[in-house]
Amino acid sequence: MSMTIPWYQRLARSWQLWVLILPALIYLVVFRYFPMYGALMAFQDFDPSSGIFGSTWVGLQQFEMFLNSYVFIRVLANTLFISLLTLVIGFPFPIILALMLNSLGSRTVKKTVQMTTYLPYFISTVVMVTIIMEALHPRSGIITLMVKALGFPLNNAMGDPNAFVPIYIISGLWQTVGYSSIIYIAALSSVDPCLYEAATIDGASKFQKIWYIDIPTLIPTAVILLILNIGRIMSLGFEKIYLMQNNLNLQSSEVISTYVYKVGLLEANFSFGTAVGLFDSVINLSLLLLVNQVMKKYNGNGLW
Amino acid sequence: MKTKTPKGTKSDILFDIAIYGILFVLFLIIVLPLLNVMANSLSSANASMMGKVGLWPVDFSLESYRMVFSYKQVWAGYLNSMIITSLGTCLNLTLTLTAAYSLSRKDFFGGTVLMGLFVFTMLFSGGLIPNYLLMRDLKILNTWWALVLPVGISVYSMIVAKTFFQTTIPLELHEAAQMEGCDDFNFFFRFVLPLSGPIIAVLTLWYAVDHWNSYFNALLYIKDEKLFPLQIILRNILISNKVDDLASLAAEDVEVRQAMAQVMKYSLIVIASVPMIVNGGRTAFIN
């Protein structure tokens, strides 16, 4: 039916929907697409007083400067290492938690554990980092004292470059495992109870039910989240890392986002900072497209 | 293949025990640190600084809370954060619900293209510095607009809302309303919004938590101390150990200031986190 109606009539017919979406559209153009255009300054020697139109174009000079700078390898390696570990370690735990909670018979226990594990998510990054710093305080930190009581040496964990990544990842897991499991629990609640009953009649053990019913149910959700997470691999959260940084651990805690903030904004190297950020975005986008293709080919689940 | 033997049920029991055991340990891992923070906030500064406090307050004292309550900056920040969070969340809800509803309609001409425009912003962004320069050019640096406008809509939340509309607003309802001569505006405000209680609750929670907890945009865009949201003030006290205007004490001495920061730390953590934790718990409970 709609095929026979000319496009301008169909457009006219949905004008009210266009009006409804207009505010969001304006927002999108001004606050999301305009900065993308602004990112062109990565190819310029940007001069704040003359703007994008007046600044001179320098091609890839800013990118070359970053690739040749002595921090490049370290910043890139830190970013990749922290993100990959976060992904590899952070990805399976929420799934395991959801599977365990789903297999429980008691609803009260299930609700209680679910609610408690979900609470730390609501703690702000500033507070979270404070709790970490207090717990690892060289003299009074409760974790420091516990580790010492067990006979291991632990002095200033926050100042130890080797300890930075484990602290970052474990605390992240503590804070988000419950929250991240919600989406899997929701997916599991869509399983038809008849399947479990049929499996019980066939003599399946609890573990077999998880293996043959629950895990296949979760795969599409898991794949989509995995792709999205890989797409964010390089855009590592600035907030927590920046707060956890200090001069002692900088060699393993300086990542692209913190570097862009310091060099690009605080030291006002606008073009250079933009180029570094753009480098980051492009790698993210390519990784996402790549993983999406691979997933679609081998398992049929993709973002589009 | 396998028949239901007593052995099978026995292994199920073992499996259950193992899972209850693991979940109990997990429960403790999550709860004990929170209890430790609570206990510290109710202990004397001395006990807390010596690391004597475990799960129960040592030398019970409310001094730390008393100090926070008399510290004006914290309350100014609290108020600022409440205003920013309300303002931001209202804007977020307006943009998200209207966009999500339009995009949820199959007969929306141009919907697929617009959806593409939205999704692309999830994958690619201009970056920190172009955003900063945009705020500068819009002349909203050092105003709360710079905290609220750049995070006007989360595309992820918008997609969740769109899916909600597609699955819970019956097609027949829309057709019937159309027959009665109800246009899209009327349908959205009189039928869709009243049916969207659960999704509005979830979106409100997500957006409010994000506004309340974020400090990054304020770090970038706000220089005027009077406009600081709570998280920036917390960062100054908790992480940088900077205590500036103590109402009760003219603390010029750096060491005294650091000690004050130390005393206030735990009660500040509790006071700053309670609103969102309660909020989150309540929403989780309702849903």
Side-chain angles (χ1 to χ4, degrees), chain A:
Chain A
M1 188 191 87
S2 59
M3 282 301 168
T4 55
I5 305 173
W7 67 268
Y8 49 86
Q9 275 187 16
R10 280 160 54 206
L11 180 63
R13 207 172 272 181
S14 48
W15 74 270
Q16 291 194 330
L17 295 178
W18 275 90
V19 172
L20 278 180
I21 207 175
L22 194 66
L25 217 53
I26 294 173
Y27 159 76
L28 212 62
V29 170
V30 175
F31 290 98
R32 297 289 178 89
Y33 282 97
F34 191 78
M36 288 186 208
Y37 163 76
L40 283 178
M41 76 175 81
F43 305 97
Q44 294 182 325
D45 187 6
F46 183 72
D47 170 18
S49 57
S50 36
I52 285 234
F53 297 107
S55 300
T56 39
W57 295 88
V58 295
L60 294 175
Q61 190 187 307
Q62 307 286 358
F63 293 90
E64 279 168 29
M65 217 158 85
F66 177 51
L67 297 183
N68 292 329
S69 72
Y70 73 102
V71 291
F72 170 69
I73 294 289
R74 204 187 64 196
V75 171
L76 184 71
N78 285 343
T79 310
L80 279 175
F81 181 61
I82 297 177
S83 325
L84 274 176
L85 265 184
T86 310
L87 187 70
V88 170
I89 296 174
F91 186 67
F93 279 93
I95 301 181
I96 297 170
L97 177 61
L99 290 171
M100 289 198 296
L101 285 174
N102 192 59
S103 80
L104 290 183
S106 155
R107 266 188 69 81
T108 339
V109 177
K110 184 178 165 183
K111 276 276 161 209
T112 316
V113 176
Q114 204 183 329
M115 284 276 284
T116 351
T117 50
Y118 167 83
L119 287 183
Y121 174 79
F122 297 101
I123 295 173
S124 77
T125 315
V126 174
V127 168
M128 186 65 212
V129 174
T130 311
I131 294 178
I132 298 171
M133 283 164 57
E134 287 305 301
L136 293 171
H137 193 278
R139 265 179 300 113
S140 64
I142 186 147
I143 293 182
T144 312
L145 293 175
M146 271 165 23
V147 171
K148 274 186 180 160
L150 291 173
F152 297 102
L154 183 69
N155 278 319
N156 184 7
M158 287 303 289
D160 180 357
N162 296 321
F164 180 82
V165 177
I167 296 170
Y168 177 84
I169 287 178
I170 293 170
S171 61
L173 210 53
W174 181 82
Q175 206 180 0
T176 58
V177 68
Y179 187 78
S180 316
S181 72
I182 293 177
I183 192 161
Y184 296 111
I185 293 173
L188 283 173
S189 69
S190 70
V191 175
D192 187 349
C194 293
L195 274 177
Y196 293 122
E197 283 162 25
T200 313
I201 292 167
D202 286 345
S205 70
K206 281 208 156 181
F207 180 74
Q208 284 170 322
K209 282 180 218 163
I210 291 180
W211 191 256
Y212 292 108
I213 301 175
D214 290 347
I215 291 185
T217 308
L218 289 185
I219 285 179
T221 313
V223 168
I224 287 176
L225 289 180
L226 186 66
I227 298 173
L228 283 176
N229 284 336
I230 290 173
R232 263 177 290 188
I233 226 168
M234 303 264 294
S235 52
L236 209 48
F238 168 94
E239 299 208 337
K240 192 170 158 198
I241 293 190
Y242 184 66
L243 291 179
M244 284 175 67
Q245 272 179 355
N246 54 45
N247 289 334
L248 297 173
N249 65 23
L250 207 56
Q251 70 182 82
S252 53
S253 67
E254 188 81 296
V255 295
I256 290 183
S257 54
T258 54
Y259 183 67
V260 170
Y261 173 68
K262 289 177 196 165
V263 176
L265 203 62
L266 294 186
E267 294 172 21
N269 297 308
F270 290 148
S271 277
F272 181 69
T274 308
V276 177
L278 200 60
F279 171 81
D280 195 25
S281 296
V282 169
I283 290 188
N284 270 328
L285 188 59
S286 330
L287 274 174
L288 184 124
L289 295 176
L290 184 78
V291 177
N292 192 48
Q293 283 306 315
V294 172
M295 286 293 181
K296 246 166 54 180
K297 196 164 176 194
Y298 290 103
N299 130 334
N301 295 300
L303 286 179
W304 54 82

Side-chain angles (χ1 to χ4, degrees), chain B residues 30-40 54-56:
Chain B
I30 302 280
V31 166
L32 295 185
L34 296 175
L35 285 179
N36 178 253
V37 170
M38 281 301 289
N40 267 302
L55 300 173
W56 203 251

